[in-house]
Amino acid sequence: MPKNTGGIADNLLGGLYCYLRRFLFGILSVGPVPSHISFIMDGNRRFQKKRNLEEGDGHKAGFSALLSILRFCYELGVKYVSVYAFSIDNFRRKPKDVEYLMELMREKIEELLQQDSIINEYGVRLLFIGKLQLLSEPARVAVEKAMRVTAHNSQRVLIICIAYTSSNEIVHAVQNSCTDKWNQFEASKVPNGSTTRPDLVLNNFKDSCKDQLLATKLSEEIKYKEDELLSVKLVDIEKHIYMAVAPDPDILIRTSGEARLSNFLLWQTSACPLYSPTALWPEIGLRHLVWAVLNFQRHHSYLEKKKKQC
């Protein structure tokens, strides 16, 4: 009987906490609500060592923390959440550690796809970005399945950055932009095999035109058009950036008190406030999110001006 009474009390307290949390979010939503919050999930292994847990339990606790913070974000009305789950640099760890993390990743992705998961509850679309070919085959298959199964969801978006670094993202975007530009240039050639090269057009023009000034002008115009066609612009790179699937983050939160970006979203965070609570990732809670949002709202006007200047 006492055990049953304890269960009822827990349910009542849980219900009260849920009500108070939503009441708090209702107050916060009076101000500007961030559309995209990014997290650097730092401190799983330190948490494990701090609590004297078994190998791998720190990452499992980190996954539970992720589910909690996702619920808070989605209840608040944040549409996009992105997390830094696994860096390309992490592949330098011991093969045994990498293999374990790949298997844990596969297992947790399967959990996210279960019927009663937060993904189905909030209609979340799962996107995985990074150099995915570096993943183990089982992990890559799970990633592809998750993106395929949730492709129809549109209410919320969870972007998981794995096998990712910002430098790789930028190189990837530049390479693809150059490829696109070259393909456009090749497509601009005249169907009979000739091109818009100035030397060919100019020779034909000189044969029928005595005005050398016009010929020179034509040459310059053709050269200018070629340069324009082949030049890579900012909009081209941003079209090919991995994170083109979401707006730039409004808030970046890194746990463990670290103020480094660690090669994460360098392109997208020039006007984004960084919040670095001392809590390790498995210790992150509602108060940390609320504080970050309040700070964002307090500086919202200034941040919007900075974004327009970028």
Side-chain angles (χ1 to χ4, degrees):
M1 190 70 179
K3 184 177 180 180
N4 186 41
T5 304
I8 294 174
D10 289 342
N11 289 335
L12 288 173
L13 288 174
L16 178 61
Y17 172 69
C18 183
Y19 171 79
L20 291 175
R21 185 176 72 236
R22 292 183 178 180
F23 178 74
L24 175 61
F25 288 159
I27 296 174
L28 284 176
S29 63
V30 173
V33 174
S35 64
H36 183 182
I37 300 180
S38 292
F39 295 92
I40 299 178
M41 303 184 293
D42 189 16
N44 288 333
R45 290 190 294 176
R46 274 172 281 177
F47 177 82
Q48 177 180 293
K49 185 176 180 180
K50 177 181 176 182
R51 299 291 182 91
N52 293 317
L53 301 176
E54 294 184 4
E55 188 69 27
D57 284 352
H59 288 92
K60 292 176 181 177
F63 179 74
S64 297
L66 173 61
L67 295 182
S68 295
I69 210 71
L70 283 176
R71 182 173 298 280
F72 299 155
C73 287
Y74 294 151
E75 285 182 358
L76 177 59
V78 178
K79 181 171 183 177
Y80 297 92
V81 174
S82 56
V83 296
Y84 199 7
F86 198 82
S87 166
I88 289 177
D89 297 333
N90 291 146
F91 284 101
R92 298 174 184 171
R93 295 180 181 177
K94 296 178 181 178
K96 181 181 177 181
D97 293 341
V98 174
E99 183 180 348
Y100 172 79
L101 290 173
M102 289 292 107
E103 177 57 25
L104 182 64
M105 186 184 304
R106 183 203 62 77
E107 177 187 319
K108 296 308 178 184
I109 290 173
E110 291 294 336
E111 284 187 29
L112 286 175
L113 296 180
Q114 291 178 4
Q115 188 64 34
D116 58 347
S117 73
I118 192 172
I119 300 301
N120 292 310
E121 181 181 351
Y122 285 94
V124 180
R125 183 181 181 186
L126 280 172
L127 294 173
F128 294 83
I129 64 172
K131 203 170 183 179
L132 302 182
Q133 61 267 34
L134 295 179
L135 302 177
S136 67
E137 185 175 353
R140 188 168 60 252
V141 169
V143 161
E144 292 170 353
K145 176 184 176 182
M147 289 195 287
R148 184 175 64 254
V149 169
T150 64
H152 63 283
N153 293 345
S154 59
Q155 296 181 36
R156 302 285 190 272
V157 179
L158 172 59
I159 304 165
I160 301 177
C161 302
I162 53 175
Y164 171 95
T165 60
S166 190
S167 54
N168 172 258
E169 177 183 32
I170 294 170
V171 169
H172 169 270
V174 172
Q175 288 175 337
N176 280 271
S177 297
C178 291
T179 300
D180 271 6
K181 286 294 181 179
W182 180 253
N183 290 338
Q184 291 172 21
F185 176 72
E186 289 293 301
S188 71
K189 290 182 178 180
V190 180
N192 64 9
S194 62
T195 69
T196 56
R197 283 169 43 199
D199 55 335
L200 298 179
V201 176
L202 186 57
N203 288 336
N204 293 332
F205 185 83
K206 283 181 178 179
D207 291 339
S208 59
C209 182
K210 297 180 180 180
D211 192 338
Q212 296 300 314
L213 290 176
L214 288 176
T216 302
K217 183 178 180 181
L218 176 62
S219 174
E220 291 174 351
E221 288 180 355
I222 293 174
K223 183 66 169 64
Y224 173 77
K225 289 179 180 179
E226 281 193 344
D227 290 343
E228 277 291 297
L229 192 61
L230 288 172
S231 64
V232 175
K233 299 180 176 62
L234 179 64
V235 66
D236 299 314
I237 295 176
E238 291 187 334
K239 182 175 69 174
H240 290 286
I241 216 85
Y242 289 143
M243 196 59 78
V245 295
D248 290 348
D250 297 301
I251 304 172
L252 175 59
I253 299 176
R254 175 170 185 159
T255 50
S256 302
E258 296 285 350
R260 297 176 290 109
L261 296 185
S262 295
N263 214 347
F264 180 58
L265 300 186
L266 302 181
W267 184 275
Q268 298 87 352
T269 53
S270 59
C272 174
L274 172 64
Y275 174 49
S276 306
T278 56
L280 303 174
W281 174 251
E283 298 170 337
I284 193 170
L286 177 62
R287 68 185 186 279
H288 302 110
L289 178 64
V290 170
W291 182 259
V293 172
L294 285 173
N295 188 58
F296 162 78
Q297 292 180 337
R298 188 160 61 96
H299 298 97
H300 183 258
S301 298
Y302 170 76
L303 294 171
E304 286 300 303
K305 290 179 182 178
K306 291 292 290 183
K307 284 183 179 180
K308 291 177 182 178
Q309 293 172 2
C310 294

